[in-house]
Amino acid sequence: MATPCAAATTSSAVAGGASAAFAPRLSTSPFALRSCSTVLPRLPPRALPSPSLKLASDASRLSSFHVRASSSEETPGAPEVGELFEDLKEKWDAIEDKTTVLLYGGGAVAAVWVSSIVVGAINSVPLLPKIMELVGLGYTGWFVYRYLLFKSGRKQLAEEIEALKKQITGT
């Protein structure tokens, strides 16, 4: 009597003289599997990159860098925290209509919150986020073609930006 593994590797004669390999249904009993493991060669273990090896190679590479931090009083680029608060207090005191500034700030926070809710609702609708991505890609392509690709378009964009700056600053 042949084992299931041996039966799977033998070929049988078919009508007409042709031979074909038939794979019978193998038993799932542990004994049948043990007999197959002695016949079939074992595969080598899968070589996975070890995270500890990767970290060790990164650490040895980074250990060649030496960093030295120092503090000096002559750093002109870094403002003091107290100086920053003093500037903010002076600007806040210079504002005459503080309620309007607070209303605009609150409105901006509310607008960001509502837009976050709208974007979340749009993302929950199937297929609509992909359509919005296509619209965004199309608009980006049009903007590049219209304003960035040619010199005349770049010049027009720079003029429009300058006009907007003047309109905002009021000069």
Side-chain angles (χ1 to χ4, degrees):
M1 182 172 152
T3 64
C5 293
T9 58
T10 60
S11 58
S12 304
V14 180
S19 66
F22 291 104
R25 186 171 165 172
L26 297 176
S27 171
T28 57
S29 74
F31 301 111
L33 293 176
R34 279 193 203 133
S35 64
C36 287
S37 64
T38 59
V39 176
L40 298 175
R42 290 199 176 264
L43 293 174
R46 180 182 278 180
L48 295 175
S50 172
S52 61
L53 289 177
K54 184 179 180 185
L55 290 175
S57 67
D58 288 344
S60 65
R61 183 172 40 123
L62 292 176
S63 66
S64 63
F65 295 112
H66 298 286
V67 179
R68 188 178 73 160
S70 64
S71 175
S72 69
E73 298 295 325
E74 296 124 15
T75 55
E80 294 284 328
V81 175
E83 187 178 317
L84 181 67
F85 282 125
E86 287 175 14
D87 289 341
L88 285 175
K89 187 178 180 198
E90 288 175 13
K91 289 183 181 181
W92 180 252
D93 290 338
I95 295 174
E96 294 177 9
D97 197 8
K98 292 180 175 80
T99 57
T100 304
V101 172
L102 291 175
L103 284 175
Y104 280 147
V109 168
V112 168
W113 178 63
V114 168
S115 65
S116 169
I117 291 172
V118 168
V119 168
I122 287 174
N123 276 338
S124 67
V125 176
L127 196 65
L128 198 56
K130 296 297 179 187
I131 292 172
M132 297 302 278
E133 284 181 23
L134 287 175
V135 168
L137 283 173
Y139 182 78
T140 302
W142 172 83
F143 184 84
V144 166
Y145 177 76
R146 173 74 174 89
Y147 289 112
L148 302 178
L149 200 55
F150 304 110
K151 186 176 182 177
S152 61
R154 290 190 297 267
K155 185 177 179 182
Q156 182 183 2
L157 179 64
E159 290 171 358
E160 289 179 8
I161 289 174
E162 288 301 319
L164 184 63
K165 282 182 187 177
K166 287 180 183 178
Q167 184 181 4
I168 290 173
T169 58
T171 57

